[in-house]
């Protein structure tokens, strides 16, 4: 037969959702009532089986013969583990070789208008293919998600299978992993070392260890960036050292506040992207200035 889904929504539980240990038992009036109803239903079912066995004749179980073509339709939504998307495509479902064998699924589905949230950022799912060729619970993955509205193409790729996914960083043009992660997490190139580099390394560790869908500390406090700016003078570690916090207010507007560690004054920077290459930068604090920055990248 052929089946088409009119509408579906699959909500996957958050892997960080709290749960009680197996040795914890909660008893209440409601739980006692549910337990009594369950026992009554089991007793009723057992009585029906015993009555049927008295006049029943033995029969041999038959292996189901199933062959279905499933079309996901136009409104099949999936949300969970940081991803929100619609799925489209067709799958073929064939019954197993025995009563206990799971059905075998073949076919390919793709994402449409997908979003993936990581480190407090919303990445666009540029391409997302899920291929089935056997068990339903372990398809192969080929997903690419990029951060929008930045001057380079940077994001993550998810390949492998659902049970053993492989996550890698990518960019166009090609750059180091630290630079790729800086563009994904902060939306700009990394120009400072020290604690800021350590912050990016922690984000990379969270990604590669399977925790990429959780937000970093900056995201939890409502910011996009928390870091340290190192000294410009190699002979004076304290000169120019500063704490920086940043927040993207829109796709074109980014605000950064820099507080010097050896002074009382701070500096507020406002970056506004006029185009992919042209940025207006204004600052006020110790000095007040306005700059027009043109960016040209060469391989």
């Amino acid at each position: 037969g052929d089946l088409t889904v009119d509408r579906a929504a699959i909500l996957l539980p958050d892997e960080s959702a709290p749960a009680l240990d197996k040795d914890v038992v909660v008893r209440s009036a409601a739980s006692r009532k549910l337990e009594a109803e369950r026992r009554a239903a089991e007793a009723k079912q057992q009585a029906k089986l015993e009555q049927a066995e008295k006049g029943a004749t033995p029969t041999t179980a038959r292996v189901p013969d199933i062959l279905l073509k499933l079309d996901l339709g136009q409104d099949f939504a999936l949300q969970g583990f940081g991803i929100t998307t619609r799925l489209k495509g067709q799958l073929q479902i064939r019954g197993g070789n025995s009563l206990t064998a799971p059905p075998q699924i073949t076919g390919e589905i793709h994402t449409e208008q997908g979003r993936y949230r990581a480190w407090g950022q919303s990445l666009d799912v540029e391409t997302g293919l899920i291929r089935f060729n056997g068990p339903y619970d372990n398809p192969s993955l080929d997903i690419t998600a990029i951060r929008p509205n930045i001057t380079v193409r940077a994001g993550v790729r998810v390949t492998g299978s659902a049970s053993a996914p492989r996550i890698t960083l990518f960019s166009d043009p090609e750059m180091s992993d630290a630079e790729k992660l800086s563009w994904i997490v902060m939306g700009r190139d990394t120009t400072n070392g020290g604690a800021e580099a350590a912050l990016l390394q922690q984000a990379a560790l969270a990604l590669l260890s399977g925790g990429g869908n959780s937000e970093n500390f900056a995201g939890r406090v409502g910011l996009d960036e928390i870091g340290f700016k190192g000294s410009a003078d190699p002979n004076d570690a304290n000169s120019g050292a500063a704490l920086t916090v940043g927040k993207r207010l829109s796709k074109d507007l980014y605000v950064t506040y820099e507080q010097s560690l050896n002074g009382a004054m701070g500096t507020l920077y406002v970056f506004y992207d006029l185009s992919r290459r042209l940025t207006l930068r204004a600052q006020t604090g110790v000095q007040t200035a306005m700059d027009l920055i043109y960016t040209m990248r060469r391989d």
Side-chain angles (χ1 to χ4, degrees):
D2 293 344
L3 299 177
T4 300
V5 179
D6 290 332
R7 184 180 183 185
I10 298 179
L11 303 179
L12 303 178
D14 189 352
E15 59 184 356
S16 63
L20 295 175
D21 291 335
K22 295 181 180 179
D23 59 346
V24 177
V25 179
V26 179
R27 297 189 181 277
S28 64
S31 65
R32 288 191 292 270
K33 181 180 179 181
L34 290 176
E35 181 66 18
E37 292 177 351
R38 184 185 65 82
R39 291 179 179 178
E42 290 179 353
K44 185 177 180 180
Q45 183 66 21
Q46 183 65 25
K48 288 183 179 180
L49 293 175
E50 292 176 355
Q51 184 177 2
E53 287 178 356
K54 294 180 180 179
T57 57
T59 57
T60 303
R62 300 179 59 184
V63 178
D65 184 11
I66 300 175
L67 180 59
L68 294 176
K69 180 180 178 182
L70 177 64
D71 190 329
L72 300 188
Q74 302 297 317
D75 193 6
F76 196 106
L78 172 68
Q79 179 178 343
F81 298 105
I83 191 170
T84 301
T85 185
R86 294 187 184 276
L87 299 177
K88 290 187 177 182
Q90 296 179 345
L91 300 174
Q92 186 181 75
I93 305 174
R94 184 180 296 274
N97 298 326
S98 66
L99 291 173
T100 59
Q104 302 295 301
I105 299 181
T106 56
E108 179 180 288
I109 59 179
H110 64 273
T111 62
E112 184 175 87
Q113 298 179 345
R115 298 288 186 273
Y116 181 74
R117 188 162 184 82
W119 312 291
Q121 307 302 324
S122 181
L123 309 182
D124 291 344
V125 179
E126 189 176 60
T127 59
L129 296 177
I130 306 174
R131 299 182 177 93
F132 292 84
N133 187 20
Y136 69 93
D137 57 350
N138 195 29
S140 62
L141 307 175
D142 187 2
I143 301 174
T144 300
I146 65 172
R147 175 163 179 170
N149 305 314
I150 57 177
T151 56
V152 301
R153 293 185 71 252
V156 296
R157 283 198 177 105
V158 183
T159 57
S161 63
S163 60
R166 296 189 299 272
I167 304 177
T168 57
L169 304 175
F170 84 96
S171 66
D172 183 17
E174 183 62 26
M175 58 186 69
S176 67
D177 286 345
E179 291 178 305
K180 295 174 186 176
L181 197 59
S182 176
W183 280 107
I184 297 172
V185 175
M186 297 185 293
R188 60 177 178 82
D189 194 4
T190 176
T191 57
N192 303 316
E196 186 176 79
L199 178 67
L200 294 178
Q201 290 175 2
Q202 291 176 4
L205 181 61
L207 170 67
L208 300 178
S209 63
N213 61 309
S214 61
E215 296 185 8
N216 57 12
F217 175 75
R220 289 197 294 268
V221 297
L223 299 173
D224 293 329
E225 173 191 359
I226 296 179
F228 287 92
K229 179 180 179 181
S231 172
D233 185 359
N235 298 321
D236 187 358
N238 295 322
S239 176
L243 171 68
T244 62
V245 295
K247 175 67 176 179
R248 182 170 292 277
L249 303 180
S250 69
K251 68 182 184 67
D252 297 324
L253 184 62
Y254 190 88
V255 177
T256 299
Y257 179 75
E258 181 179 296
Q259 175 62 52
S260 175
L261 298 182
N262 61 351
M265 293 293 293
T267 303
L268 178 67
Y269 295 92
V270 178
F271 298 86
Y272 186 78
D273 296 329
L274 301 175
S275 66
R276 292 182 64 88
R277 296 184 179 274
L278 197 60
T279 301
L280 178 66
R281 180 182 67 183
Q283 71 178 69
T284 183
V286 179
Q287 293 181 342
T288 300
M290 182 174 293
D291 303 292
L292 198 59
I293 305 171
Y294 181 81
T295 304
M296 182 174 60
R297 305 189 68 90
R298 298 181 61 183
D299 296 337

